Amino acid sequence: MTDGSSKSGIIAARLRNYFLTGLIICAPVAITVWLVRSFIEWADSWVKPYLPSFYNPDTYSPVAIPGFGLLVAIVVITLVGFLTASIIGRSIINFGESLLNRTPLVRTIYKSLKQIFQTVLQDQSSSFKKAGLIEYPSPGLWSLVFIATDAKGEIAAKFDERGMDMVAVFLPPTPLPTAGFLLFVPRDKIVPLQMSAEDAAKLLISGGLVTPDHKPIANAPPRTITQQKRA
């Protein structure tokens, strides 16, 4: 009786391990496929309704063709970027922007979004491409942040009057790093990390379970933001 119970326990443990192993393999694949499919369907739902029926493949096919709307969006965005490089295209873009800038409420939203995309997507920009640590919410407790940019404009002027060198950082919550807090932190209070922004996002989303590999630099103590800037 004891031997039978022990064998049943061994079989149950093996089955459980097989299930967990399969779950580790299948769950990321299934979630990735679901996210990609959801994004493609979202793009199609925005683009396809504006396509003439003659150019919409769904008109001729009994089954909806996924991804066609996304492909059209990519082509159109690329074409707009190409036309903007010419004088005529730039004139059209400037005319459209002038109309938006004259529209109340719309101009505020448009200018804010444009500035955000220009700051984040410019090749020379390092905004949100570096991660660091700050003491928050109290001394002795450390939080992971994304380093945005140096304080600018009126905020920078107010800090300069007080002799403060401040950096804007973004403090995201776990597990949704899309929301969070904008904090201005003294430059020498930020501990920069070698990990990429992508690895930092993985660490946040996983709640600390997924930690990126680290290759320490021999005989190199950790440097602050101030030391990096001087270097």
Coordinates of all heavy atoms in Angstrom, one line a residue, residues 38-74:
S38 N -4.1 41.5 -31.2 CA -4.9 42.7 -30.7 C -4.5 44.0 -31.4 O -5.3 44.8 -31.8 CB -4.9 42.8 -29.2 OG -5.4 41.6 -28.6
F39 N -3.2 44.2 -31.4 CA -2.6 45.4 -32.1 C -3.0 45.5 -33.5 O -3.4 46.5 -34.0 CB -1.1 45.4 -31.9 CG -0.5 46.6 -32.5 CD1 -0.6 47.9 -32.0 CD2 0.3 46.5 -33.7 CE1 0.0 49.0 -32.6 CE2 0.8 47.6 -34.3 CZ 0.7 48.8 -33.7
I40 N -2.8 44.3 -34.2 CA -3.2 44.3 -35.7 C -4.7 44.6 -35.9 O -5.0 45.4 -36.8 CB -2.8 43.0 -36.3 CG1 -1.3 42.8 -36.3 CG2 -3.3 42.8 -37.7 CD1 -0.8 41.4 -36.8
E41 N -5.5 44.0 -35.1 CA -7.0 44.2 -35.2 C -7.3 45.7 -34.9 O -8.2 46.3 -35.5 CB -7.7 43.3 -34.3 CG -7.7 41.8 -34.7 CD -8.4 40.9 -33.8 OE1 -8.7 41.4 -32.6 OE2 -8.6 39.7 -34.1
W42 N -6.6 46.2 -33.9 CA -6.8 47.7 -33.5 C -6.5 48.6 -34.7 O -7.2 49.5 -35.0 CB -6.0 48.0 -32.3 CG -6.1 49.5 -32.0 CD1 -7.1 50.1 -31.3 CD2 -5.1 50.4 -32.2 NE1 -6.8 51.5 -31.2 CE2 -5.5 51.7 -31.7 CE3 -3.8 50.4 -32.9 CZ2 -4.8 52.9 -31.8 CZ3 -3.1 51.5 -33.0 CH2 -3.6 52.8 -32.5
A43 N -5.3 48.3 -35.3 CA -4.9 49.1 -36.5 C -5.8 48.9 -37.6 O -6.2 49.9 -38.3 CB -3.4 48.7 -36.9
D44 N -6.3 47.7 -37.9 CA -7.2 47.5 -39.0 C -8.5 48.2 -38.8 O -9.1 48.7 -39.7 CB -7.5 46.0 -39.2 CG -6.3 45.2 -39.7 OD1 -5.4 45.9 -40.3 OD2 -6.2 44.0 -39.7
S45 N -9.0 48.2 -37.5 CA -10.3 48.8 -37.2 C -10.2 50.3 -37.4 O -11.3 51.0 -37.7 CB -10.7 48.5 -35.8 OG -9.8 49.1 -34.9
W46 N -9.0 50.9 -37.4 CA -8.9 52.4 -37.6 C -8.7 52.7 -39.1 O -9.2 53.8 -39.5 CB -7.7 52.9 -36.8 CG -8.0 53.3 -35.4 CD1 -8.0 52.5 -34.3 CD2 -8.5 54.5 -34.9 NE1 -8.4 53.2 -33.2 CE2 -8.7 54.4 -33.5 CE3 -8.8 55.8 -35.6 CZ2 -9.2 55.5 -32.8 CZ3 -9.2 56.8 -34.8 CH2 -9.4 56.7 -33.4
V47 N -8.0 51.8 -39.8 CA -7.7 52.2 -41.2 C -8.7 51.7 -42.2 O -9.1 52.4 -43.1 CB -6.3 51.6 -41.5 CG1 -5.9 51.9 -43.0 CG2 -5.2 52.2 -40.6
K48 N -9.1 50.4 -42.1 CA -10.0 49.8 -43.1 C -11.3 50.6 -43.4 O -11.7 50.6 -44.5 CB -10.2 48.3 -42.7 CG -9.1 47.4 -43.0 CD -9.5 46.0 -42.8 CE -8.4 45.0 -43.2 NZ -8.7 43.6 -43.0
P49 N -12.0 51.1 -42.4 CA -13.2 51.8 -42.7 C -13.0 53.0 -43.6 O -14.0 53.4 -44.2 CB -13.7 52.3 -41.3 CG -13.1 51.3 -40.3 CD -11.8 51.0 -40.9
Y50 N -11.8 53.6 -43.7 CA -11.6 54.7 -44.5 C -11.0 54.4 -45.9 O -10.8 55.2 -46.7 CB -10.6 55.7 -43.8 CG -11.1 56.2 -42.5 CD1 -10.7 55.6 -41.3 CD2 -12.0 57.3 -42.5 CE1 -11.2 56.1 -40.1 CE2 -12.4 57.8 -41.3 CZ -12.0 57.2 -40.1 OH -12.5 57.6 -38.9
L51 N -10.8 53.1 -46.1 CA -10.4 52.7 -47.5 C -11.5 52.5 -48.4 O -12.6 52.0 -48.1 CB -9.6 51.3 -47.3 CG -8.3 51.3 -46.6 CD1 -7.7 49.9 -46.5 CD2 -7.3 52.2 -47.3
P52 N -11.4 53.0 -49.7 CA -12.4 52.7 -50.7 C -12.6 51.2 -50.8 O -11.6 50.4 -50.8 CB -11.9 53.4 -51.9 CG -10.9 54.4 -51.4 CD -10.3 53.8 -50.2
S53 N -13.8 50.8 -51.1 CA -14.1 49.4 -51.2 C -13.3 48.7 -52.3 O -13.0 47.5 -52.3 CB -15.6 49.2 -51.5 OG -16.0 49.8 -52.6
F54 N -12.9 49.5 -53.3 CA -12.2 49.0 -54.4 C -10.8 48.5 -54.0 O -10.2 47.6 -54.5 CB -12.1 50.0 -55.6 CG -11.3 49.5 -56.8 CD1 -11.8 48.7 -57.7 CD2 -9.9 49.9 -56.9 CE1 -11.1 48.3 -58.8 CE2 -9.2 49.5 -58.0 CZ -9.8 48.7 -59.0
Y55 N -10.2 49.2 -53.0 CA -8.8 48.9 -52.6 C -8.9 48.0 -51.3 O -7.8 47.6 -50.9 CB -8.1 50.2 -52.2 CG -7.9 51.1 -53.5 CD1 -8.6 52.2 -53.7 CD2 -6.9 50.8 -54.4 CE1 -8.4 53.0 -54.8 CE2 -6.7 51.6 -55.5 CZ -7.5 52.7 -55.7 OH -7.3 53.5 -56.8
N56 N -10.0 47.8 -50.8 CA -10.1 46.9 -49.6 C -10.2 45.5 -50.0 O -11.2 45.1 -50.6 CB -11.3 47.4 -48.7 CG -11.3 46.8 -47.3 OD1 -10.6 45.8 -47.1 ND2 -12.0 47.4 -46.4
P57 N -9.2 44.7 -49.6 CA -9.3 43.2 -50.0 C -10.4 42.5 -49.4 O -10.8 41.4 -49.9 CB -7.9 42.7 -49.6 CG -7.5 43.6 -48.5 CD -8.0 45.0 -48.8
D58 N -11.0 43.0 -48.3 CA -12.1 42.3 -47.6 C -13.3 42.3 -48.5 O -14.2 41.5 -48.3 CB -12.4 43.0 -46.3 CG -11.3 42.8 -45.2 OD1 -10.4 41.9 -45.5 OD2 -11.3 43.4 -44.2
T59 N -13.4 43.2 -49.5 CA -14.5 43.3 -50.4 C -14.6 42.1 -51.3 O -15.7 41.6 -51.6 CB -14.4 44.6 -51.2 OG1 -14.3 45.7 -50.4 CG2 -15.7 44.7 -52.1
Y60 N -13.4 41.6 -51.6 CA -13.3 40.4 -52.6 C -13.1 39.1 -51.9 O -13.3 38.0 -52.5 CB -12.2 40.7 -53.6 CG -12.2 42.1 -54.2 CD1 -11.3 43.0 -53.7 CD2 -13.1 42.4 -55.2 CE1 -11.3 44.3 -54.2 CE2 -13.1 43.7 -55.7 CZ -12.2 44.6 -55.2 OH -12.2 45.9 -55.8
S61 N -12.7 39.1 -50.6 CA -12.4 37.9 -49.9 C -13.5 37.6 -48.9 O -14.0 38.5 -48.2 CB -11.1 38.0 -49.2 OG -10.8 36.9 -48.4
P62 N -13.9 36.3 -48.8 CA -15.0 36.0 -47.8 C -14.4 36.0 -46.4 O -15.2 36.0 -45.5 CB -15.3 34.5 -48.2 CG -14.1 34.0 -49.0 CD -13.5 35.2 -49.7
V63 N -13.1 36.0 -46.3 CA -12.5 36.1 -44.9 C -11.7 37.4 -44.8 O -11.0 37.8 -45.8 CB -11.6 34.9 -44.7 CG1 -10.9 34.9 -43.3 CG2 -12.3 33.5 -44.9
A64 N -11.8 38.0 -43.7 CA -11.1 39.3 -43.5 C -9.6 39.0 -43.4 O -9.1 38.0 -42.8 CB -11.5 39.9 -42.1
I65 N -8.8 39.8 -44.1 CA -7.4 39.7 -44.2 C -6.7 40.5 -43.1 O -6.7 41.8 -43.2 CB -6.8 40.1 -45.6 CG1 -7.5 39.2 -46.7 CG2 -5.3 40.0 -45.6 CD1 -7.0 39.6 -48.0
P66 N -6.2 39.9 -42.0 CA -5.6 40.7 -40.9 C -4.3 41.3 -41.3 O -3.5 40.7 -42.1 CB -5.4 39.6 -39.8 CG -5.3 38.3 -40.6 CD -6.1 38.4 -41.8
G67 N -4.1 42.5 -40.8 CA -2.8 43.2 -41.1 C -2.8 44.1 -42.3 O -1.8 44.9 -42.4
F68 N -3.8 44.1 -43.1 CA -3.7 44.9 -44.3 C -3.9 46.4 -43.9 O -3.2 47.3 -44.4 CB -4.9 44.6 -45.3 CG -4.8 45.4 -46.5 CD1 -4.0 45.0 -47.5 CD2 -5.7 46.4 -46.7 CE1 -3.9 45.7 -48.7 CE2 -5.7 47.2 -47.9 CZ -4.8 46.8 -48.9
G69 N -4.7 46.7 -42.9 CA -4.8 48.1 -42.4 C -3.5 48.6 -41.8 O -3.1 49.7 -42.0
L70 N -2.9 47.7 -41.1 CA -1.6 48.1 -40.5 C -0.5 48.3 -41.5 O 0.2 49.3 -41.4 CB -1.1 47.0 -39.5 CG 0.3 47.1 -38.9 CD1 0.3 48.4 -38.0 CD2 0.6 45.9 -38.1
L71 N -0.5 47.5 -42.6 CA 0.4 47.7 -43.7 C 0.1 49.1 -44.4 O 1.1 49.8 -44.7 CB 0.3 46.6 -44.7 CG 1.2 46.6 -45.9 CD1 2.6 46.6 -45.5 CD2 0.9 45.5 -46.9
V72 N -1.1 49.4 -44.6 CA -1.5 50.6 -45.2 C -1.0 51.8 -44.4 O -0.5 52.8 -44.8 CB -3.0 50.7 -45.5 CG1 -3.4 52.1 -46.0 CG2 -3.4 49.7 -46.6
A73 N -1.2 51.7 -43.0 CA -0.8 52.7 -42.1 C 0.7 53.0 -42.2 O 1.1 54.1 -42.2 CB -1.3 52.4 -40.7
I74 N 1.5 51.9 -42.2 CA 2.9 52.0 -42.3 C 3.3 52.7 -43.6 O 4.2 53.6 -43.6 CB 3.6 50.6 -42.2 CG1 3.3 50.0 -40.8 CG2 5.1 50.7 -42.4 CD1 3.8 48.6 -40.6

